[in-house]
Amino acid sequence: MSKLETAQKIEQAFERTGVRRTPQRFFVLERLLTKPDHATVEELWAALNRRHARASRATVYNTLHALVQAGLVREFTLDGKAARYDANLERHHHFVCDSCGAVEDVNWFDVPQLEGNESEKRSIRSYEVTLRGKCAKCHSNN
Amino acid sequence: MSKLETAQKIEQAFERTGVRRTPQRFFVLERLLTKPDHATVEELWAALNRRHARASRATVYNTLHALVQAGLVREFTLDGKAARYDANLERHHHFVCDSCGAVEDVNWFDVPQLEGNESEKRSIRSYEVTLRGKCAKCHSNN
DNA sequence: CTGCTAACTTAGACATAGTTCTAATTTAAG
DNA sequence: CTTAAATTAGAACTATGTCTAAGTTAGCAG
Ligand SMILES: [Mn+2]
Ligand SMILES: [Mn+2]
Ligand SMILES: [Zn+2]
Ligand SMILES: [Zn+2]
């Protein structure tokens, strides 16, 4: 997706969801869309400061809350660390590199039916698989 | 498993792994084995205090570190909250109740082979499925 | 285009949960 | 009995996230 297309997509998303367009919000969503690395607040804040110097952490938090509220971004956490943000709204799983900590998307796949009394009394609303291992980069850098 | 059998199992585990036997450690491991609710430090500390009043939180932390070190307990976190502890060493998945927060074991099942270039450049060491929904108890209490 | 104002941004203080550390006391195990 | 190791109470620490009050701006009405 070209830079222009991404920009239009973001504009439309803001329009559609009634999120007010600010340079900071635009930057954060663009960053999440173009670099699907599941950045943390700290990382997004650092990136934002490289562009719009003097950005506040509070703005990053506020922006992310607004984007999550609007359904444009999903929040999750891994291993009790800082929250991570994901603008990929497709169903997918995640892979975490033991060595460098990178979090990568993994195409969706269904999981076998949970048979028998296992799932009888429970209702499952959603599930996700977290894979762990060594990422491609860490394999080659060896 | 009877209370006696559990006690013997714990004694043996301590012996085998060289973990020194203290009432606090015995209690924590017994509690994790007999009530597989994936308790947090806070919960274990509260339970411990009901029995051995005046237990320190530090002891619970120290105990759990020792047990994890010895491979008798596994630690994990959900949703960026406090660490949870699991004395069930079998391979298994977890179910989390959206409504009451309970964390339950789910029998192991394999996940389909991750085909194609998805897994080509990565090596997968482990994976786990986290299911979410409404637990049996929350279904009946309605 | 201009001015208005609610909404946003900023800097940094503040809050909090979770965990680790410390130094004195007690205890398991040989 | 001895002593290395464990326990205790509570202070201290840390990472993450929230709040505040003053300044700035997006978006709209006129
Ligand atoms: Mn993702
Ligand atoms: Mn478990
Ligand atoms: Zn890696
Ligand atoms: Zn429940």
Side-chain angles (χ1 to χ4, degrees), chain A residues 77-81 95 98 104-107 109-112 114-115 117-118 121-137 139, chain B residues 77-81 95 98 104-112 114 117-118 121-137 139:
Chain A
T77 40
L78 284 174
D79 306 316
K81 297 293 208 334
F95 169 88
D98 294 326
E104 300 173 356
D105 285 340
V106 173
N107 287 146
F109 52 80
D110 284 315
V111 131
L114 312 164
E115 79 263 22
N117 51 25
E118 193 64 84
K121 300 291 214 124
R122 298 197 269 253
S123 55
I124 311 273
R125 202 201 74 239
S126 71
Y127 61 86
E128 79 264 2
V129 180
T130 304
L131 302 128
R132 290 170 194 275
K134 209 170 177 188
C135 78
K137 196 143 82 92
H139 262 295
Chain B
T77 38
L78 284 174
D79 306 316
K81 298 294 211 331
F95 169 87
D98 293 327
E104 300 174 356
D105 286 341
V106 173
N107 288 146
W108 178 260
F109 52 80
D110 285 316
V111 131
L114 312 164
N117 51 24
E118 194 65 85
K121 299 292 214 124
R122 297 197 270 252
S123 54
I124 311 273
R125 201 200 75 240
S126 70
Y127 61 86
E128 79 263 2
V129 180
T130 304
L131 302 128
R132 291 171 195 275
K134 208 171 179 186
C135 77
K137 195 145 86 125
H139 263 295

Coordinates of all heavy atoms in Angstrom, one line a residue, chain A residues 77-81 95 98 104-107 109-112 114-115 117-118 121-137 139, chain B residues 77-81 95 98 104-112 114 117-118 121-137 139:
Chain A
T77 N -1.2 -7.4 25.7 CA 0.0 -7.5 26.5 C 0.6 -8.9 26.4 O -0.1 -9.8 26.4 CB -0.2 -7.1 28.0 OG1 -1.4 -7.7 28.4 CG2 -0.3 -5.6 28.2
L78 N 1.9 -8.9 26.5 CA 2.6 -10.2 26.5 C 3.5 -10.2 27.7 O 4.3 -9.2 28.0 CB 3.5 -10.3 25.3 CG 2.8 -10.6 23.9 CD1 3.7 -10.5 22.8 CD2 2.1 -12.0 24.0
D79 N 3.5 -11.3 28.5 CA 4.5 -11.5 29.6 C 4.5 -10.3 30.6 O 5.6 -10.0 31.1 CB 5.9 -11.6 29.0 CG 5.9 -12.7 27.9 OD1 5.3 -13.8 28.2 OD2 6.5 -12.5 26.9
G80 N 3.3 -9.7 30.8 CA 3.3 -8.8 31.9 C 4.1 -7.5 31.6 O 4.3 -6.7 32.5
K81 N 4.5 -7.3 30.4 CA 5.2 -6.1 30.0 C 4.2 -5.0 29.6 O 3.0 -5.1 29.8 CB 6.1 -6.4 28.9 CG 7.2 -7.4 29.2 CD 8.2 -6.8 30.2 CE 9.6 -7.4 30.2 NZ 9.7 -8.7 29.6
F95 N 3.6 -14.4 16.9 CA 4.8 -15.1 17.2 C 5.7 -14.2 18.0 O 5.9 -13.0 17.6 CB 5.5 -15.5 15.9 CG 6.9 -16.0 16.0 CD1 7.2 -17.3 16.3 CD2 8.0 -15.1 16.0 CE1 8.5 -17.8 16.4 CE2 9.3 -15.6 16.1 CZ 9.5 -16.9 16.3
D98 N 12.1 -15.4 21.2 CA 12.7 -15.5 22.5 C 14.0 -14.7 22.6 O 14.4 -14.3 23.7 CB 13.1 -17.0 22.7 CG 11.9 -17.9 22.8 OD1 10.9 -17.5 23.3 OD2 12.1 -19.0 22.3
E104 N 5.6 -10.8 15.9 CA 5.2 -10.8 14.5 C 3.8 -11.4 14.3 O 3.4 -12.3 15.1 CB 6.3 -11.7 13.7 CG 7.7 -11.1 13.7 CD 8.7 -12.0 13.1 OE1 8.3 -13.1 12.6 OE2 9.9 -11.6 13.0
D105 N 3.2 -11.0 13.2 CA 1.9 -11.6 12.9 C 2.0 -13.0 12.3 O 3.0 -13.2 11.6 CB 1.1 -10.7 11.9 CG 0.6 -9.4 12.6 OD1 0.5 -9.4 13.8 OD2 0.4 -8.4 11.9
V106 N 1.0 -13.8 12.6 CA 1.0 -15.1 12.0 C -0.4 -15.3 11.4 O -1.4 -15.0 12.1 CB 1.2 -16.2 13.1 CG1 1.0 -17.6 12.5 CG2 2.6 -16.1 13.7
N107 N -0.5 -15.7 10.2 CA -1.8 -15.8 9.5 C -2.7 -16.7 10.4 O -2.3 -17.6 11.0 CB -1.6 -16.5 8.1 CG -1.0 -15.5 7.2 OD1 -0.3 -15.9 6.3 ND2 -1.3 -14.2 7.3
F109 N -5.3 -19.3 11.6 CA -5.7 -20.7 11.4 C -6.6 -21.1 12.5 O -6.5 -20.6 13.6 CB -4.5 -21.6 11.3 CG -3.6 -21.5 12.4 CD1 -3.9 -22.2 13.6 CD2 -2.4 -20.8 12.3 CE1 -3.0 -22.1 14.7 CE2 -1.5 -20.7 13.4 CZ -1.8 -21.4 14.6
D110 N -7.6 -22.0 12.2 CA -8.5 -22.4 13.2 C -7.8 -23.5 14.0 O -6.9 -24.1 13.6 CB -9.8 -23.0 12.6 CG -10.7 -21.9 12.1 OD1 -10.9 -20.9 12.8 OD2 -11.2 -22.0 11.0
V111 N -8.4 -23.7 15.2 CA -7.9 -24.7 16.1 C -8.9 -25.8 16.2 O -10.1 -25.6 16.0 CB -7.7 -24.0 17.5 CG1 -8.3 -24.7 18.6 CG2 -6.2 -23.6 17.7
P112 N -8.5 -27.0 16.4 CA -9.5 -28.2 16.3 C -10.6 -27.9 17.3 O -10.5 -27.3 18.3 CB -8.6 -29.4 16.7 CG -7.3 -28.8 17.2 CD -7.1 -27.5 16.6
L114 N -12.9 -28.2 20.3 CA -12.6 -28.6 21.6 C -13.6 -29.6 22.0 O -14.8 -29.3 22.2 CB -12.6 -27.4 22.5 CG -11.8 -26.3 22.0 CD1 -12.2 -25.0 22.7 CD2 -10.4 -26.6 22.1
E115 N -13.2 -30.9 22.0 CA -14.3 -31.9 22.1 C -14.7 -32.2 23.5 O -14.1 -31.8 24.5 CB -13.8 -33.2 21.4 CG -12.8 -34.0 22.3 CD -11.4 -33.8 22.0 OE1 -11.1 -32.7 21.4 OE2 -10.6 -34.6 22.3
N117 N -16.5 -33.0 27.1 CA -16.9 -32.1 28.3 C -16.0 -30.9 28.4 O -16.3 -30.1 29.2 CB -17.0 -33.0 29.5 CG -15.7 -33.7 29.8 OD1 -14.6 -33.3 29.3 ND2 -15.8 -34.8 30.5
E118 N -14.9 -30.9 27.7 CA -14.0 -29.8 27.8 C -14.7 -28.5 27.7 O -14.6 -27.6 28.5 CB -12.9 -29.9 26.8 CG -11.7 -29.0 27.0 CD -11.0 -29.4 28.3 OE1 -10.1 -30.3 28.3 OE2 -11.3 -28.8 29.3
K121 N -19.5 -26.9 29.2 CA -20.1 -26.0 30.1 C -19.6 -24.6 29.9 O -20.1 -23.7 30.6 CB -19.9 -26.5 31.6 CG -20.4 -27.8 31.8 CD -22.0 -27.8 31.9 CE -22.5 -28.7 32.9 NZ -23.4 -28.1 33.9
R122 N -18.7 -24.4 29.1 CA -18.1 -23.1 28.9 C -18.6 -22.6 27.5 O -18.8 -23.4 26.6 CB -16.6 -23.1 28.8 CG -15.9 -23.6 30.1 CD -14.4 -23.2 30.0 NE -13.6 -24.3 29.4 CZ -12.8 -25.0 30.1 NH1 -12.7 -24.9 31.4 NH2 -12.0 -25.9 29.5
S123 N -18.6 -21.3 27.3 CA -18.7 -20.8 26.0 C -17.5 -20.0 25.6 O -17.0 -19.2 26.4 CB -20.0 -19.9 25.9 OG -19.9 -18.8 26.9
I124 N -17.0 -20.3 24.4 CA -15.7 -19.7 24.0 C -16.1 -18.5 23.1 O -16.8 -18.7 22.1 CB -14.9 -20.7 23.2 CG1 -14.7 -22.0 24.0 CG2 -13.5 -20.1 22.8 CD1 -13.7 -22.2 24.9
R125 N -15.6 -17.4 23.4 CA -15.9 -16.2 22.6 C -14.8 -15.9 21.6 O -15.0 -15.5 20.5 CB -16.0 -15.0 23.6 CG -16.7 -13.8 23.1 CD -16.3 -12.5 23.8 NE -15.0 -12.1 23.4 CZ -14.0 -12.0 24.2 NH1 -14.0 -12.2 25.5 NH2 -12.8 -11.5 23.7
S126 N -13.6 -16.2 22.0 CA -12.4 -16.0 21.1 C -11.2 -16.8 21.6 O -11.3 -17.4 22.7 CB -12.0 -14.5 21.2 OG -11.5 -14.2 22.4
Y127 N -10.3 -16.9 20.8 CA -9.0 -17.5 21.3 C -7.9 -17.0 20.4 O -8.1 -16.5 19.3 CB -9.1 -19.1 21.2 CG -9.3 -19.6 19.8 CD1 -8.3 -19.9 19.0 CD2 -10.6 -19.9 19.4 CE1 -8.5 -20.4 17.7 CE2 -10.8 -20.5 18.1 CZ -9.8 -20.7 17.3 OH -10.0 -21.3 16.0
E128 N -6.7 -17.2 20.9 CA -5.5 -16.8 20.1 C -4.4 -17.7 20.5 O -4.3 -18.2 21.6 CB -5.1 -15.3 20.3 CG -4.4 -15.0 21.6 CD -5.2 -14.5 22.8 OE1 -6.5 -14.4 22.6 OE2 -4.7 -14.2 23.8
V129 N -3.5 -17.9 19.5 CA -2.4 -18.8 19.7 C -1.1 -17.9 19.8 O -1.0 -16.9 19.0 CB -2.2 -19.7 18.5 CG1 -1.0 -20.6 18.7 CG2 -3.4 -20.6 18.4
T130 N -0.3 -18.1 20.7 CA 1.0 -17.4 20.8 C 2.1 -18.4 20.6 O 2.2 -19.4 21.4 CB 1.1 -16.7 22.2 OG1 0.0 -15.9 22.4 CG2 2.4 -15.9 22.2
L131 N 2.8 -18.2 19.6 CA 4.0 -19.1 19.2 C 5.2 -18.4 19.7 O 5.4 -17.2 19.7 CB 4.0 -19.3 17.7 CG 2.7 -19.8 17.1 CD1 2.2 -19.0 16.0 CD2 2.9 -21.3 16.7
R132 N 6.2 -19.2 20.2 CA 7.4 -18.7 20.6 C 8.6 -19.5 20.0 O 8.5 -20.7 19.7 CB 7.6 -18.8 22.1 CG 6.6 -17.8 22.8 CD 6.5 -18.1 24.3 NE 5.4 -17.4 24.9 CZ 5.4 -16.1 25.3 NH1 6.5 -15.4 25.2 NH2 4.3 -15.5 25.8
G133 N 9.7 -18.8 19.7 CA 10.8 -19.4 19.1 C 11.8 -18.4 18.7 O 12.0 -17.4 19.4
K134 N 12.5 -18.6 17.6 CA 13.5 -17.7 17.1 C 13.1 -17.2 15.8 O 12.8 -18.0 14.9 CB 14.8 -18.6 17.0 CG 16.1 -17.8 17.2 CD 17.3 -18.8 17.2 CE 18.6 -18.1 17.4 NZ 19.7 -19.1 17.3
C135 N 13.1 -15.9 15.6 CA 12.6 -15.3 14.4 C 13.7 -15.4 13.3 O 14.8 -15.8 13.5 CB 12.3 -13.8 14.6 SG 13.7 -12.7 14.7
A136 N 13.2 -15.1 12.1 CA 14.1 -15.3 10.9 C 15.3 -14.4 11.0 O 16.5 -14.9 10.8 CB 13.3 -14.8 9.6
K137 N 15.2 -13.2 11.5 CA 16.3 -12.3 11.6 C 17.4 -12.9 12.6 O 18.6 -12.9 12.3 CB 15.9 -10.9 12.1 CG 16.9 -9.8 12.0 CD 16.2 -8.5 11.6 CE 15.7 -7.7 12.7 NZ 16.1 -6.8 13.5
H139 N 17.8 -15.9 13.3 CA 18.4 -17.1 12.7 C 19.6 -16.7 11.8 O 20.6 -17.4 11.9 CB 17.4 -17.9 11.9 CG 16.8 -19.0 12.7 ND1 17.5 -20.1 13.2 CD2 15.5 -19.2 13.2 CE1 16.7 -20.9 13.9 NE2 15.5 -20.4 13.9
Chain B
T77 N 2.0 -14.9 32.7 CA 1.1 -13.7 33.0 C 0.1 -13.6 31.9 O 0.3 -13.9 30.8 CB 2.0 -12.4 33.0 OG1 2.9 -12.5 32.0 CG2 2.7 -12.2 34.3
L78 N -1.0 -13.0 32.3 CA -2.1 -12.8 31.4 C -2.5 -11.3 31.5 O -2.7 -10.8 32.6 CB -3.3 -13.6 31.9 CG -3.3 -15.1 31.6 CD1 -4.5 -15.8 32.2 CD2 -3.3 -15.3 30.1
D79 N -2.6 -10.7 30.4 CA -3.2 -9.3 30.3 C -2.4 -8.3 31.2 O -3.0 -7.4 31.7 CB -4.6 -9.3 30.8 CG -5.5 -10.3 30.0 OD1 -5.3 -10.3 28.8 OD2 -6.3 -11.0 30.6
G80 N -1.1 -8.5 31.3 CA -0.3 -7.5 32.0 C -0.6 -7.4 33.4 O -0.1 -6.4 34.1
K81 N -1.2 -8.4 34.0 CA -1.5 -8.4 35.4 C -0.4 -9.1 36.2 O 0.7 -9.4 35.6 CB -2.8 -9.1 35.7 CG -4.0 -8.4 35.1 CD -4.3 -7.1 35.7 CE -5.7 -6.6 35.7 NZ -6.6 -7.2 34.7
F95 N -7.9 -21.4 29.6 CA -9.2 -20.7 29.4 C -9.3 -19.6 30.4 O -9.1 -19.8 31.6 CB -10.3 -21.7 29.5 CG -11.7 -21.0 29.5 CD1 -12.3 -20.8 28.3 CD2 -12.3 -20.6 30.7 CE1 -13.6 -20.1 28.3 CE2 -13.5 -20.0 30.7 CZ -14.1 -19.7 29.5
D98 N -14.1 -14.2 30.9 CA -14.2 -12.8 30.8 C -14.9 -12.2 32.0 O -14.8 -11.0 32.3 CB -15.1 -12.5 29.5 CG -14.4 -12.9 28.3 OD1 -13.2 -12.8 28.2 OD2 -15.1 -13.3 27.3
E104 N -8.6 -21.5 33.8 CA -8.8 -22.9 33.9 C -7.9 -23.6 32.9 O -7.6 -23.1 31.9 CB -10.2 -23.3 33.7 CG -11.2 -22.6 34.7 CD -12.6 -22.9 34.3 OE1 -12.9 -23.5 33.3 OE2 -13.5 -22.5 35.1
D105 N -7.5 -24.9 33.3 CA -6.7 -25.7 32.4 C -7.6 -26.2 31.3 O -8.8 -26.5 31.5 CB -6.1 -26.8 33.1 CG -4.9 -26.4 34.0 OD1 -4.4 -25.3 33.7 OD2 -4.5 -27.1 34.9
V106 N -7.0 -26.4 30.1 CA -7.7 -27.0 29.0 C -6.7 -28.1 28.4 O -5.5 -27.8 28.2 CB -7.9 -25.9 27.8 CG1 -8.5 -26.6 26.6 CG2 -8.9 -24.9 28.3
N107 N -7.3 -29.3 28.3 CA -6.4 -30.4 27.8 C -5.6 -30.0 26.5 O -6.2 -29.3 25.7 CB -7.3 -31.6 27.5 CG -7.8 -32.2 28.8 OD1 -8.8 -32.8 28.9 ND2 -7.0 -32.1 29.9
W108 N -4.5 -30.5 26.4 CA -3.6 -30.2 25.3 C -4.2 -30.7 24.0 O -4.9 -31.7 23.9 CB -2.3 -30.9 25.5 CG -1.4 -30.6 24.3 CD1 -1.1 -31.5 23.3 CD2 -0.7 -29.4 24.0 NE1 -0.3 -30.8 22.3 CE2 0.0 -29.6 22.8 CE3 -0.6 -28.2 24.7 CZ2 0.8 -28.6 22.2 CZ3 0.2 -27.2 24.1 CH2 0.9 -27.4 22.9
F109 N -4.0 -29.9 23.0 CA -4.3 -30.4 21.6 C -3.3 -29.7 20.7 O -2.9 -28.6 21.0 CB -5.8 -30.0 21.2 CG -6.1 -28.6 21.4 CD1 -5.7 -27.6 20.5 CD2 -6.9 -28.2 22.5 CE1 -6.0 -26.3 20.7 CE2 -7.2 -26.8 22.7 CZ -6.8 -25.9 21.8
D110 N -3.0 -30.4 19.7 CA -2.0 -29.8 18.7 C -2.7 -28.8 17.8 O -3.9 -28.9 17.6 CB -1.3 -30.9 17.9 CG -0.3 -31.6 18.7 OD1 0.5 -31.0 19.4 OD2 -0.3 -32.9 18.6
V111 N -1.9 -28.0 17.2 CA -2.4 -26.9 16.3 C -2.0 -27.4 14.9 O -0.9 -28.0 14.8 CB -1.9 -25.6 16.8 CG1 -1.2 -24.8 15.7 CG2 -2.9 -24.8 17.6
P112 N -2.8 -27.1 13.9 CA -2.4 -27.5 12.6 C -1.0 -27.1 12.2 O -0.5 -26.0 12.7 CB -3.4 -26.8 11.7 CG -4.2 -25.9 12.5 CD -4.0 -26.3 13.9
L114 N 1.9 -25.2 10.7 CA 2.0 -23.9 10.1 C 2.6 -24.0 8.8 O 3.8 -24.2 8.7 CB 2.8 -23.0 11.0 CG 2.3 -23.2 12.5 CD1 3.4 -22.6 13.4 CD2 1.0 -22.5 12.7
N117 N 5.6 -20.5 3.8 CA 6.7 -19.6 4.2 C 6.5 -19.1 5.6 O 7.3 -18.4 6.2 CB 6.9 -18.5 3.2 CG 5.6 -17.8 2.9 OD1 4.7 -17.8 3.7 ND2 5.6 -17.2 1.7
E118 N 5.3 -19.3 6.1 CA 5.0 -18.8 7.4 C 6.0 -19.2 8.4 O 6.6 -18.4 9.1 CB 3.6 -19.3 7.9 CG 3.0 -18.6 9.1 CD 2.7 -17.2 8.7 OE1 1.6 -16.9 8.2 OE2 3.6 -16.3 9.0
K121 N 11.2 -19.6 7.9 CA 12.4 -19.0 8.4 C 12.5 -18.9 9.9 O 13.4 -18.4 10.5 CB 12.5 -17.6 7.8 CG 12.6 -17.6 6.3 CD 14.0 -18.2 5.9 CE 14.4 -17.5 4.6 NZ 15.8 -16.9 4.7
R122 N 11.4 -19.2 10.6 CA 11.4 -19.2 12.0 C 11.5 -20.6 12.6 O 11.1 -21.5 11.9 CB 10.0 -18.6 12.5 CG 9.7 -17.2 12.1 CD 8.6 -16.7 12.9 NE 7.3 -16.9 12.4 CZ 6.5 -16.0 11.8 NH1 7.0 -14.8 11.7 NH2 5.3 -16.3 11.4
S123 N 11.9 -20.7 13.8 CA 11.8 -22.0 14.5 C 10.9 -21.8 15.7 O 11.0 -20.9 16.4 CB 13.2 -22.5 14.9 OG 13.8 -21.5 15.7
I124 N 9.9 -22.7 15.8 CA 8.9 -22.6 16.8 C 9.4 -23.5 18.0 O 9.5 -24.7 17.7 CB 7.5 -23.0 16.3 CG1 7.2 -22.3 15.0 CG2 6.5 -22.8 17.4 CD1 6.6 -21.0 15.1
R125 N 9.5 -23.0 19.1 CA 10.0 -23.8 20.3 C 8.8 -24.3 21.1 O 8.8 -25.4 21.6 CB 10.8 -22.9 21.2 CG 11.8 -23.6 22.1 CD 12.2 -22.7 23.3 NE 11.1 -22.6 24.2 CZ 10.5 -21.4 24.6 NH1 10.9 -20.3 24.0 NH2 9.5 -21.4 25.4
S126 N 7.7 -23.4 21.1 CA 6.6 -23.8 21.9 C 5.4 -22.9 21.4 O 5.6 -21.9 20.8 CB 6.8 -23.6 23.4 OG 6.9 -22.2 23.7
Y127 N 4.3 -23.3 21.9 CA 3.1 -22.4 21.6 C 2.0 -22.7 22.6 O 2.1 -23.8 23.2 CB 2.6 -22.5 20.2 CG 2.1 -23.9 19.8 CD1 0.8 -24.3 20.1 CD2 2.9 -24.8 19.2 CE1 0.3 -25.6 19.7 CE2 2.4 -26.1 18.8 CZ 1.1 -26.4 19.1 OH 0.7 -27.7 18.7
E128 N 1.1 -21.8 22.8 CA 0.0 -22.1 23.7 C -1.2 -21.3 23.2 O -1.1 -20.3 22.6 CB 0.3 -21.7 25.2 CG 0.2 -20.2 25.5 CD 1.5 -19.5 25.4 OE1 2.6 -20.1 25.1 OE2 1.5 -18.3 25.7
V129 N -2.4 -21.9 23.5 CA -3.6 -21.3 23.1 C -4.3 -20.7 24.3 O -4.3 -21.4 25.3 CB -4.5 -22.4 22.4 CG1 -5.9 -21.7 22.0 CG2 -3.9 -23.0 21.2
T130 N -4.7 -19.5 24.2 CA -5.5 -18.9 25.3 C -6.9 -18.7 24.8 O -7.2 -18.0 23.8 CB -4.9 -17.6 25.7 OG1 -3.5 -17.8 26.0 CG2 -5.7 -17.0 26.9
L131 N -7.9 -19.4 25.4 CA -9.3 -19.3 25.1 C -9.9 -18.3 26.0 O -9.6 -18.3 27.2 CB -9.9 -20.7 25.2 CG -9.2 -21.8 24.3 CD1 -8.9 -23.0 25.1 CD2 -10.1 -22.1 23.2
R132 N -10.9 -17.6 25.5 CA -11.6 -16.7 26.4 C -13.1 -16.8 26.2 O -13.6 -17.1 25.1 CB -11.2 -15.2 26.0 CG -9.8 -14.9 26.4 CD -9.3 -13.6 25.9 NE -7.9 -13.5 26.1 CZ -7.3 -13.1 27.2 NH1 -8.0 -12.7 28.2 NH2 -5.9 -13.1 27.2
G133 N -13.8 -16.6 27.2 CA -15.3 -16.8 27.2 C -15.9 -16.7 28.5 O -15.4 -16.0 29.4
K134 N -16.9 -17.5 28.7 CA -17.7 -17.5 30.0 C -17.5 -18.9 30.6 O -17.9 -19.9 30.0 CB -19.1 -17.2 29.7 CG -19.9 -16.5 30.9 CD -21.2 -16.0 30.3 CE -22.0 -15.3 31.4 NZ -23.4 -15.0 30.9
C135 N -17.1 -18.9 31.8 CA -16.8 -20.2 32.5 C -18.2 -20.9 32.9 O -19.2 -20.2 32.9 CB -15.9 -20.1 33.7 SG -16.7 -19.4 35.2
A136 N -18.1 -22.2 33.2 CA -19.3 -22.9 33.6 C -20.0 -22.3 34.8 O -21.2 -22.1 34.8 CB -18.9 -24.4 34.0
K137 N -19.2 -21.9 35.8 CA -19.8 -21.3 37.0 C -20.6 -20.0 36.6 O -21.7 -19.8 37.1 CB -18.7 -20.9 38.0 CG -19.2 -20.7 39.4 CD -18.2 -21.2 40.4 CE -17.2 -20.2 40.7 NZ -16.7 -19.5 41.7
H139 N -21.9 -19.3 33.9 CA -23.1 -19.6 33.1 C -24.2 -20.0 34.0 O -25.4 -19.5 33.8 CB -22.8 -20.8 32.2 CG -22.4 -20.4 30.8 ND1 -23.3 -19.7 30.0 CD2 -21.3 -20.4 30.1 CE1 -22.7 -19.4 28.9 NE2 -21.5 -19.8 28.9

